[in-house]
Amino acid sequence: MKSYKFRSLIAALLCSSSLFSSAQTQQHASKGPNIIIIVSDDHAYQSISAYGSKLMQTPNIDRIANEGVKFNKAYVTNSICGPSRAVILTGKYSHKNGFKDNESSIFNGDQDTFIKQLKNGGYQTAWIGKWHLESKPQGFDFWQILPDQGQYYNPNFNMMDGSKKRIEGYVSNVIEDVTEQWLDKRDTTKPFCLVIGHKATHRVWLPDTADLGSFDQVKFPLPANFYDSYKGREAAKIQDMSIEKTMIMGYDLKMFGSDDAESLDGNFKRMDPKQRAAVDAYYKPIQTDFNKQKLSGNALTEWKFQRYLRDYLSTAKSLDRNIGRTLDYLDKNNLKENTVIVYLSDQGFYLGEHGWFDKRWIYEESFRTPMVMRYPDVIKPGSVSENFVMNLDIAPTVLDIAKVNIPKDIQGESMLSALKDHKKGRKALYYHYYENGEHSVSPHFGIRTRGYKLIRFYKRVNGWELYDLKNDPHEMHNIYGEKGFGKITANLKKELNTQIDKYDDQDAKGVLQKN
């Protein structure tokens, strides 16, 4: 890779934007900036204080936002764990990278990724933590990954030599420990790109012992549409992801009964005696009190909601704390000024909206993801971007930052240009969800513009939905087919077809051609 003065060059290109700092930087000959990408799992933007959440404070994610940029309109192409990671790696939609769902997909590691491009450009590359792509990582100088979803306590790791290794401790802490060990041993003559894949906050939301009970004194308000009737929304009526009906007392909420085997949750079997004692000391009194109450109906549903949020947010607390450890490591080792750091979740998540948990939908809470980025001396601290960006854009952005060639078949767009000019960027976002099994969410595709969302459901449900996002931001009223929206619908369908052609989604095209 040719020598260049990366910060002064980038700053010169971007100095016209108010988002970028005019501060002078030192020269870093023959090496680009280090890059760290932190990918969490199922972390809802509604639970992050940088996004205005009142549920909890996330000081370390906020720190990245405060020292860089917060993307207010960041979205995913396919709201489910494995496919999202495949999109991040390749910069291509699921139908192009081949990993469409968690049911049967296996990532083809032979295909190009931004990691391989960086490695060819002189970067050290590593992935540590959750991988969830069902194949061996390729293109990395180092990897140490959780098998499948991983475990919260004393997790196993798949090692590069083909062995498995159990590491004692809580998964978020362990992933950070391994991260710092690799950073200590890396070749300091080369820039690095490190992906940290956190398991948190994936179901079953089992907190670190240090965080048990962190929110027990809080009574969380019910979302306004918690008791949604799903009127006019056939796909929502048949889903199986409600807190009321689907959330399992033992598996999800740790209220184990004599006929509710703990074996459903392998995390408990992995605990050492000290960990198990701490967990039992916390949950057993809650279960005793719960049994005395003999709740039913809405009272039971709302009790489940409170327990869910307390466990979810306590699990998120350890995630944020370990992100802080990463930031502190950069500070202590004089890496802060020469390291770009990006934080995002693999998708959004429901925290009781529509009465739900989980993700999958093109509806806002699962479609939208938190994303913040710090690029010292280039991105102005405290910046906020309202441009549409996607997880699809991580690959080209990283390559743009590293001054490595962006392959022509990458479908994402560098976010640096979006930061530079608010008038540029996408006018519409395209989405396609394929999985046809868990939680009974019908496969669907659609677009989101600034004002509307048009959705085409198929397989389980066959039909259209349309939402006026300005007047109905919570997507409660399906206006498809209603009088007065004919012209808007026609224009949106035209844009949908434009997006399908742009990204060459033959699956979606086939659905539309049938009816």
Side-chain angles (χ1 to χ4, degrees):
M1 191 165 57
K2 294 181 179 180
S3 298
Y4 63 92
K5 302 173 184 178
F6 83 95
R7 289 199 182 89
S8 57
L9 176 59
I10 296 293
L13 290 171
L14 302 174
C15 63
S16 62
S17 170
S18 62
L19 287 175
F20 294 89
S21 170
S22 61
Q24 298 297 313
T25 64
Q26 296 180 351
Q27 298 178 4
H28 293 272
S30 302
K31 60 184 296 186
N34 305 310
I35 300 164
I36 295 178
I37 303 166
I38 304 174
V39 183
S40 63
D41 200 301
D42 296 343
H43 195 198
Y45 67 86
Q46 310 95 286
S47 67
I48 298 174
S49 46
Y51 284 93
S53 176
K54 303 299 183 184
L55 299 176
M56 70 176 295
Q57 293 297 306
T58 51
N60 296 296
I61 295 172
D62 294 5
R63 180 174 161 192
I64 300 173
N66 293 337
E67 295 176 357
V69 60
K70 175 180 65 175
F71 293 96
N72 263 348
K73 290 182 172 58
Y75 292 83
V76 299
T77 66
N78 183 358
S79 182
I80 191 167
C81 310
S84 181
R85 285 165 178 75
V87 168
I88 290 169
L89 271 173
T90 63
K92 300 174 186 176
Y93 272 86
S94 300
H95 62 275
K96 289 295 186 181
N97 66 50
F99 201 102
K100 295 180 178 180
D101 55 50
N102 282 343
E103 294 175 317
S104 59
S105 296
I106 298 175
F107 185 70
N108 177 8
D110 292 337
Q111 66 185 299
D112 197 13
T113 64
F114 79 84
I115 288 292
K116 292 180 180 179
Q117 291 290 329
L118 286 180
K119 188 173 181 179
N120 290 337
Y123 271 73
Q124 295 171 90
T125 57
W127 187 300
I128 296 167
K130 183 170 179 178
W131 172 250
H132 202 207
L133 290 174
E134 310 304 327
S135 61
K136 184 177 178 180
Q138 294 186 30
F140 296 92
D141 294 298
F142 177 84
W143 53 264
Q144 185 169 322
I145 59 173
L146 299 170
D148 194 38
Q149 297 285 1
Q151 303 96 5
Y152 274 109
Y153 278 89
N154 310 318
N156 287 338
F157 284 85
N158 290 339
M159 311 298 286
M160 293 186 73
D161 63 5
S163 66
K164 291 187 182 294
K165 181 180 180 181
R166 173 182 169 123
I167 301 180
E168 302 301 307
Y170 184 74
V171 66
S172 300
N173 305 329
V174 172
I175 289 170
E176 178 61 25
D177 291 343
V178 175
T179 293
E180 294 184 18
Q181 290 163 12
W182 181 79
L183 287 169
D184 287 341
K185 295 176 182 178
R186 78 189 193 284
D187 181 353
T188 57
T189 67
K190 295 180 179 180
F192 65 84
C193 179
L194 166 65
V195 182
I196 306 172
H198 277 288
K199 173 177 172 62
T201 48
H202 196 277
R203 191 181 186 187
V204 293
W205 319 296
L206 186 56
D208 189 354
T209 55
D211 300 313
L212 290 167
S214 294
F215 299 91
D216 282 7
Q217 303 308 310
V218 180
K219 184 174 182 179
F220 298 104
L222 292 177
N225 58 3
F226 185 76
Y227 288 112
D228 191 348
S229 67
Y230 316 120
K231 181 181 179 181
R233 288 162 285 146
E234 295 305 312
K237 287 180 181 178
I238 68 166
Q239 54 69 35
D240 186 24
M241 53 191 288
S242 73
I243 292 172
E244 176 188 7
K245 297 178 180 179
T246 310
M247 193 164 276
I248 302 169
M249 293 302 297
Y251 179 68
D252 289 315
L253 303 177
K254 299 86 180 173
M255 301 292 105
F256 292 112
S258 58
D259 59 348
D260 192 2
E262 291 181 14
S263 60
L264 284 172
D265 181 2
N267 286 288
F268 282 79
K269 288 187 175 181
R270 302 189 64 83
M271 294 177 185
D272 64 30
K274 184 177 180 180
Q275 292 164 343
R276 184 58 193 260
V279 168
D280 284 348
Y282 175 67
Y283 284 107
K284 285 190 174 181
I286 294 172
Q287 183 161 7
T288 298
D289 180 67
F290 170 74
N291 290 339
K292 290 178 180 178
Q293 295 186 60
K294 300 185 183 303
L295 301 174
S296 62
N298 288 353
L300 174 59
T301 301
E302 292 174 21
W303 183 93
K304 293 168 75 174
F305 167 75
Q306 297 295 332
R307 279 261 34 99
Y308 163 46
L309 281 199
R310 286 165 184 163
D311 279 352
Y312 180 95
L313 297 175
S314 295
T315 305
K317 187 175 180 180
S318 68
L319 167 68
D320 185 75
R321 181 168 61 247
N322 279 286
I323 291 171
R325 288 180 61 194
T326 301
L327 299 176
D328 291 344
Y329 182 97
L330 298 178
D331 290 348
K332 292 174 184 176
N333 291 276
N334 299 314
L335 291 169
K336 176 180 178 180
E337 297 305 315
N338 193 33
T339 301
V340 176
I341 189 162
V342 181
Y343 172 75
L344 74 159
S345 177
D346 55 4
Q347 68 262 319
F349 210 69
Y350 289 96
L351 300 182
E353 300 86 3
H354 303 285
W356 294 340
F357 66 97
D358 209 69
K359 57 267 184 176
R360 303 169 196 272
W361 303 95
I362 193 175
Y363 303 141
E364 205 73 358
E365 290 85 1
S366 53
F367 184 22
R368 183 180 171 192
T369 191
M371 188 187 297
V372 293
M373 176 180 179
R374 186 177 78 182
Y375 193 167
D377 296 331
V378 174
I379 295 176
K380 185 178 179 181
S383 298
V384 177
S385 173
E386 299 293 340
N387 274 64
F388 283 149
V389 297
M390 305 190 83
N391 58 349
L392 189 72
D393 301 332
I394 295 294
T397 301
V398 167
L399 294 176
D400 194 5
I401 289 169
K403 288 300 173 184
V404 172
N405 181 58
I406 301 173
K408 291 183 180 180
D409 61 350
I410 278 185
Q411 295 180 307
E413 304 169 10
S414 173
M415 293 185 289
L416 294 187
S417 58
L419 289 172
K420 180 182 177 182
D421 189 346
H422 285 294
K423 295 180 181 179
K424 293 182 179 180
R426 296 178 178 87
K427 292 188 293 185
L429 299 165
Y430 180 64
Y431 179 89
H432 196 157
Y433 172 79
Y434 297 86
E435 194 164 298
N436 194 31
E438 190 171 359
H439 291 305
S440 301
V441 175
S442 180
H444 58 284
F445 54 86
I447 57 168
R448 186 204 197 282
T449 66
R450 294 285 172 175
Y452 294 92
K453 188 176 290 180
L454 179 69
I455 312 166
R456 176 67 161 86
F457 288 96
Y458 63 100
K459 289 189 178 179
R460 288 179 180 269
V461 169
N462 189 15
W464 292 88
E465 291 183 3
L466 173 63
Y467 296 95
D468 178 346
L469 299 177
K470 181 178 179 180
N471 296 308
D472 181 24
H474 301 295
E475 298 161 305
M476 298 290 289
H477 183 196
N478 175 18
I479 57 175
Y480 185 84
E482 289 191 3
K483 186 177 179 180
F485 293 98
K487 185 176 181 180
I488 290 170
T489 302
N491 288 337
L492 288 169
K493 284 187 175 181
K494 183 178 179 180
E495 180 62 33
L496 175 61
N497 277 285
T498 297
Q499 294 291 318
I500 288 172
D501 288 339
K502 175 181 179 180
Y503 295 113
D504 191 29
D505 188 349
Q506 295 299 317
D507 296 323
K509 184 171 289 189
V511 172
L512 293 179
Q513 287 173 346
K514 287 181 181 178
N515 48 29

